[in-house]
Amino acid sequence: MFVTRFAPSPTGLLHRGHAFSALTAHAAARAAGGRFILRIEDIDATRCRPQFEAAILEDLAWLGLAWEQPVRRQSEHLADYQAALERLTARGLTYRCFRTRREIAADIARAPHGAMEIWRGGPLPQDEEAARLAAGEAFAWRLSLDAAERALGGFGSLDFLEESQGRRIPADPGLGGDVVLARKDVGVAYHLAVVVDDALQGINHVIRGADLFEATHVQRLLQALLDLPAPVYRHHALLSGPDGRRYAKRDRAQTLAELRAGGMTPQALRRELGFD
Ligand code: GLU
């Protein structure tokens, strides 16, 4: 049975781009006679707000979507992610990283494309790590790409089916560097939570925007390391506004709440986005 999901983070109000993504996944589930799951990705306690979650539910219902109950809220399942982290750690695939926000920001500022953090550091020498632990310094857990590569005997056989291109794409987990699996503050991080949940919820089709294409390469590696099934992926093009720029959470004027307040009907928005 076809099972897909829409997995927003309640860090802001939904905009047209989210509506497109949610409608795409929902329509695909409908067409396949499958299931549509809504998941709330709220592990980032510093940025997620209950009022944004409430707004997401309201917006999606307004759009005419229906989803299965209960809705999985990641913040309520931290033990599941912890267990996955422990499995990886027990196999020697992780290491503690004590770098501070300030050090990371400085690295990013120096990087040529600015935005993404790509770190391949490896563990500290044992005595230094012991000293920092004894001093009570906080640390994140990172995935060691080197150890992962050794464990799998290389990344050569790692790939995923990209439905929008009708072909398998070789995964290049190096794109993300030694990703953070567990943040200092919340004890888990995005990639780990997503692969654990996609597997636990039986998601076999991940339909999401092309902005997460690189994330798929990292997530495919985590699936292999955790012996989880690989879903089929469909990354859809991101929607652009009339000015040709992609919609983003920071463009307040384009939120679904504002469109609704301005008198737009769900039927009109669905039609505009190419549904119905
Ligand atoms: N929670 C992520 C976001 O809002 C999406 C995760 C996913 O679709 O895998 O961007």
Side-chain angles (χ1 to χ4, degrees):
M1 154 108 50
F2 182 108
V3 187
T4 191
R5 45 61 160 195
F6 178 57
S9 300
T11 56
L13 296 172
L14 299 187
H15 52 69
R16 275 188 171 86
H18 295 110
F20 180 76
S21 216
L23 285 165
T24 302
H26 192 263
R30 267 259 179 95
R35 296 167 53 202
F36 174 75
I37 285 174
L38 173 67
R39 182 168 77 223
I40 299 292
E41 303 210 321
D42 61 348
I43 52 175
D44 187 342
T46 57
R47 293 171 60 222
C48 294
R49 300 273 176 277
Q51 61 269 33
F52 289 137
E53 183 188 314
I56 287 171
L57 301 180
E58 192 180 338
D59 287 344
L60 296 178
W62 174 77
L63 265 180
L65 302 193
W67 52 90
E68 294 183 7
Q69 300 291 340
V71 171
R72 184 173 172 94
R73 211 174 272 118
Q74 289 188 326
S75 61
E76 294 171 354
H77 299 277
L78 299 181
D80 290 336
Y81 315 128
Q82 184 64 36
L85 176 67
E86 281 165 15
R87 281 177 59 202
L88 295 172
T89 298
R91 290 180 58 198
L93 299 172
T94 67
Y95 63 90
R96 294 184 180 88
C97 177
F98 293 85
R99 291 198 314 148
T100 61
R101 267 177 194 281
R102 183 190 294 244
E103 287 166 345
I104 292 170
D107 278 2
I108 291 175
R110 270 197 300 273
H113 355 268
M116 199 162 129
E117 188 221 5
I118 298 180
W119 171 256
R120 287 191 78 160
L124 289 175
Q126 264 182 7
D127 49 348
E128 186 179 345
E129 179 174 294
R132 285 180 173 231
L133 284 175
E137 277 187 46
F139 58 87
W141 285 102
R142 283 183 187 267
L143 176 70
S144 166
L145 272 184
D146 287 339
E149 198 161 5
R150 279 194 302 274
L152 296 178
F155 296 145
S157 59
L158 215 55
D159 63 4
F160 57 90
L161 177 57
E162 173 59 51
E163 215 173 29
S164 66
Q165 299 181 26
R167 67 183 179 106
R168 300 196 74 83
I169 293 189
D172 179 5
L175 288 173
D178 287 352
V179 291
V180 172
L181 298 174
R183 289 167 32 162
K184 285 179 182 177
D185 52 353
V186 284
V188 60
Y190 163 68
H191 293 297
L192 187 62
V194 166
V195 298
V196 167
D197 282 355
D198 282 343
L200 264 172
Q201 297 188 291
I203 307 291
N204 49 29
H205 277 71
V206 172
I207 298 171
R208 59 186 180 187
D211 53 333
L212 288 166
F213 184 72
E214 290 195 356
T216 297
H217 293 253
V218 176
Q219 292 170 17
R220 185 65 198 89
L221 171 60
L222 289 176
Q223 288 152 1
L225 294 172
L226 288 164
D227 290 318
L228 301 175
V232 171
Y233 287 87
R234 188 193 303 176
H235 296 91
H236 61 73
L238 298 180
L239 214 59
S240 301
D243 59 358
R245 288 195 319 130
R246 296 187 331 215
Y247 290 111
K249 276 186 183 156
R250 57 183 177 275
D251 302 331
R252 291 186 48 98
Q254 295 299 340
T255 63
L256 302 187
E258 290 218 12
L259 295 177
R260 184 163 67 234
M264 185 172 243
T265 64
Q267 291 76 13
L269 181 58
R270 292 172 70 109
R271 219 171 307 120
E272 182 200 306
L273 297 176
F275 296 85
D276 301 339

